[in-house]
Amino acid sequence: MKILALINSDKPFGVAANAAAHASLGLASRLVANGTPLPTREWKDGALVHPALADVPLEIKMGDVNMLRRARALAKSKGLTFTDFTQTMTGDTYVEQLEKTKAAAEADLEYYCVLIAGNEDDLSLE
């Protein structure tokens, strides 16, 4: 398994980092729910000295909102596990964010981050 993180290059670092952090938690949760939790590794003498670190490659790419939208659509069409973070998930209260996100049409979403899990071939954006 490998994870591809696509981050909107038009966003300031703090906004992009926040989106990537939220999306990472969401992807990990989806993987566990699907029965494929992220593996960890024993690092020293059989001890998990860093137990929260996943033992999977993570590739980070920057791109514009259209690249993120295409990658998300491709992941969805391939049946891959993915998650995203959009402009509707910021500001206001948590409840208002959920309402805005649920009410938004996909075409109106501005993707800040898209995370996709799969094998190397599945994660090709072409």
Side-chain angles (χ1 to χ4, degrees), residues 26-116:
L27 184 66
S29 177
R30 290 198 70 197
L31 289 169
V32 168
N34 291 343
T36 53
L38 295 171
T40 57
R41 176 186 295 223
E42 293 180 354
W43 293 93
K44 178 180 170 183
D45 300 327
L48 289 173
V49 293
H50 302 289
L53 297 178
D55 189 24
V56 296
L58 172 64
E59 181 180 357
I60 299 173
K61 290 187 176 185
M62 304 294 285
D64 65 20
V65 70
N66 293 320
M67 187 261 257
L68 274 67
R69 184 180 308 284
R70 285 190 307 271
R72 183 187 183 279
L74 185 60
K76 188 174 182 179
S77 73
K78 290 182 175 184
L80 300 175
T81 302
F82 70 93
T83 192
D84 55 57
F85 191 92
T86 69
Q87 88 282 4
T88 60
M89 300 170 182
T90 63
D92 304 321
T93 68
Y94 177 72
V95 171
E96 290 167 327
Q97 291 172 18
L98 291 174
E99 289 171 357
K100 286 190 306 186
T101 302
K102 186 176 179 180
E106 195 281 332
D108 296 330
L109 295 174
E110 179 185 4
Y111 293 99
Y112 288 12
C113 181
V114 174
L115 267 72
I116 308 167

Side-chain angles (χ1 to χ4, degrees), residues 6-18:
L6 304 163
I7 298 174
N8 187 326
S9 57
D10 294 331
K11 297 296 155 204
F13 175 78
V15 172
N18 181 63

